[in-house]
Structures are given as structure tokens and as C-alpha cells.
Amino acid sequence: MANLIFESEIHHKSDKVNLHLNVLIFQEDGVYIAYCAPLDISAFGNSEEEAKREFELTVTQYFTYCLNKKTLAKDLKAHGWTVKSSKKFKAPSDENMLASNETYKDIKENKNYKVIEKSVTIPAV
């Protein structure tokens, strides 16, 4: 399977899909947590940089698993994404995530967090 690529620039290739993910970084009980509400996945570390690195591993494993099992579209839909085709995915709105995801709502309302953007390029499904 093709490797997932994390990058800040967008490459337009017909056999690739570019997803832009917002990841919330916050600290709880001395641990840094990176949480991506649109995928409902998280990772942690003893520093912000370690949490980011661990998140990249976690999201890579997530996409690898879904692509190998051919369940990506189904899983994204289950997380509130709109799947228009094998190359067009739209994340749920912030309002929808606040209404349907208690973890996200708690972070947004009760934690001191910052948002980082991650671009992920995956093979077209």
C-alpha cells in the first residue's frame, strides 16, 4: 500500500485524496493530548511534539487499516463525514461535532487548547 504523507502543501494527483484535519492539542494531568474530532482519534505524549508525532502514527494506522479493509468511506460516514465519491470527502461541521461528540464539546468548552492543521494524502479509495 502507498505510504501516507503528512505535509503542509497540497499535491493534486488523480490517484490521491487530500484531507485537511484540525487537531486539538491540550494538556491534561501533565500529558499532552492530540485529538482529531472528525476522526475521533487521539494520541498523547510527554511533550507537545511527542503528542504530534504519536498522532501522526495513530492517524497513519487508522487510514492504513481502513484502506486495507476497504471500509474508509463507511467509517468516515459513521463519523459524520459527507462522502460524495471516492475522491471527495467533507468533514462534519464544527456545529455538528459539538452536538454529537461529547469529548470534542468538553475540550472546546473546558480545556485550554490550540488547533493545528494536518494535511493527509491517501490513495484514492
Side-chain angles (χ1 to χ4, degrees), residues 11-26:
H11 295 281
H12 298 284
K13 295 181 180 177
S14 61
D15 61 340
K16 305 284 184 205
V17 176
N18 296 303
L19 298 174
H20 302 282
L21 304 172
N22 285 335
V23 179
L24 304 180
I25 305 284
F26 62 98

Side-chain angles (χ1 to χ4, degrees), residues 23-36 42-45 48 51 103 106-108 111-115:
V23 179
L24 304 180
I25 305 284
F26 62 98
Q27 195 173 10
E28 187 170 86
D29 298 327
V31 175
Y32 288 85
I33 300 170
Y35 178 68
C36 179
S42 62
F44 64 93
E48 185 176 319
T103 301
D106 179 55
I107 295 166
K108 294 280 283 199
K111 308 283 188 215
N112 183 17
Y113 66 91
K114 71 178 184 178
V115 179

Side-chain angles (χ1 to χ4, degrees), residues 3-125:
N3 290 332
L4 303 180
I5 304 166
F6 289 86
E7 55 193 13
S8 59
E9 57 190 63
I10 298 172
H11 295 281
H12 298 284
K13 295 181 180 177
S14 61
D15 61 340
K16 305 284 184 205
V17 176
N18 296 303
L19 298 174
H20 302 282
L21 304 172
N22 285 335
V23 179
L24 304 180
I25 305 284
F26 62 98
Q27 195 173 10
E28 187 170 86
D29 298 327
V31 175
Y32 288 85
I33 300 170
Y35 178 68
C36 179
L39 299 175
D40 198 25
I41 60 175
S42 62
F44 64 93
N46 291 319
S47 68
E48 185 176 319
E49 289 307 311
E50 184 179 0
K52 289 177 187 178
R53 284 191 308 272
E54 292 298 321
F55 179 80
E56 288 185 7
L57 292 172
T58 300
V59 78
T60 297
Q61 291 171 344
Y62 165 79
F63 282 114
T64 299
Y65 179 83
C66 288
L67 290 169
N68 284 338
K69 292 291 188 178
K70 300 184 183 345
T71 60
L72 182 60
K74 180 179 177 182
D75 195 68
L76 290 177
K77 284 180 186 178
H79 285 95
W81 289 63
T82 303
V83 179
K84 296 183 180 186
S85 73
S86 65
K87 295 180 186 175
K88 292 189 180 182
F89 303 96
K90 183 178 179 189
S93 69
D94 193 61
E95 295 80 23
N96 287 344
M97 286 189 295
L98 285 169
S100 64
N101 184 321
E102 287 299 318
T103 301
Y104 183 66
K105 184 176 180 179
D106 179 55
I107 295 166
K108 294 280 283 199
E109 292 178 354
N110 301 308
K111 308 283 188 215
N112 183 17
Y113 66 91
K114 71 178 184 178
V115 179
I116 61 169
E117 291 184 14
K118 285 287 184 190
S119 293
V120 182
T121 301
I122 62 172
V125 293

